[in-house]
Amino acid sequence: MTKLSLGSHPYMLGFEQLERMLERSAKSGNEGYPPFNIEQTSDTSYRITLAVAGFGESDLSITVEDRQLVIRGRQRDDSEQRVFLHRGIAARQFQRSFVLADGVEVGEAVMENGLLHIDLKRAQPETVVQTIKINKG
């Protein structure tokens, strides 16, 4: 059986880049940390919420790289100055990536009670009708 991809489907023209983005997202190494929610807040807006307890604003970075929202967390390891009798809370790094569709823009990011909220907005595309003139050959 032949695998049918978006780029090879006869009615789906120009979707090769979308297929590459999906493959890259699948390989991005997103494990289960940190846990997150995605909610639709209106017909054209979304909110991603990550549980980032223990991280401060300066420990986090949010970037958009080639239509991919990338959230990175890196805590400073200050364990040399501290003596732990038990260490159950690890200072661990993470990177979480989300592929953004064309027209989706990142709005504001807010930290609240150990949760990082990132708002996204999808622009409503205009309906464009274009008439193509047929030339004599």
Side-chain angles (χ1 to χ4, degrees), residues 120-136:
L120 307 171
K121 183 123 177 107
R122 180 173 36 93
Q124 290 288 71
E126 294 180 22
T127 303
V128 177
V129 176
Q130 182 180 3
T131 303
I132 309 300
K133 182 180 176 186
I134 302 173
N135 297 316
K136 293 183 182 179

Side-chain angles (χ1 to χ4, degrees), residues 1-115:
M1 176 167 255
T2 305
K3 178 184 171 193
L4 186 61
S5 66
L6 288 174
S8 66
H9 193 281
Y11 301 116
M12 304 292 281
L13 304 175
F15 285 90
E16 298 83 8
Q17 181 180 357
L18 175 63
E19 190 168 24
R20 284 192 299 272
M21 283 192 336
L22 288 171
E23 288 174 6
R24 186 177 66 216
S25 177
K27 295 177 185 175
S28 69
N30 279 339
E31 50 191 51
Y33 181 79
F36 67 94
N37 292 337
I38 301 175
E39 60 185 301
Q40 186 168 359
T41 54
S42 76
D43 288 344
T44 59
S45 61
Y46 309 92
R47 174 173 268 190
I48 299 172
T49 301
L50 286 89
V52 291
F55 287 86
E57 288 90 348
S58 62
D59 299 327
L60 300 169
S61 72
I62 304 168
T63 57
V64 177
E65 304 168 11
D66 192 24
R67 301 303 311 155
Q68 200 166 15
L69 173 65
V70 180
I71 302 113
R72 292 181 179 94
R74 175 174 293 193
Q75 291 179 315
R76 292 176 294 284
D77 188 10
D78 60 354
S79 61
E80 293 176 9
Q81 294 98 13
R82 300 165 72 183
V83 177
F84 290 96
L85 300 179
H86 171 76
R87 186 163 188 180
I89 302 171
R92 98 191 245 196
Q93 300 178 35
F94 72 86
Q95 177 174 314
R96 178 71 69 180
S97 302
F98 301 89
V99 176
L100 302 176
D102 287 338
V104 173
E105 297 297 326
V106 178
E108 80 173 335
V110 177
M111 281 282 285
E112 176 183 47
N113 299 325
L115 299 174

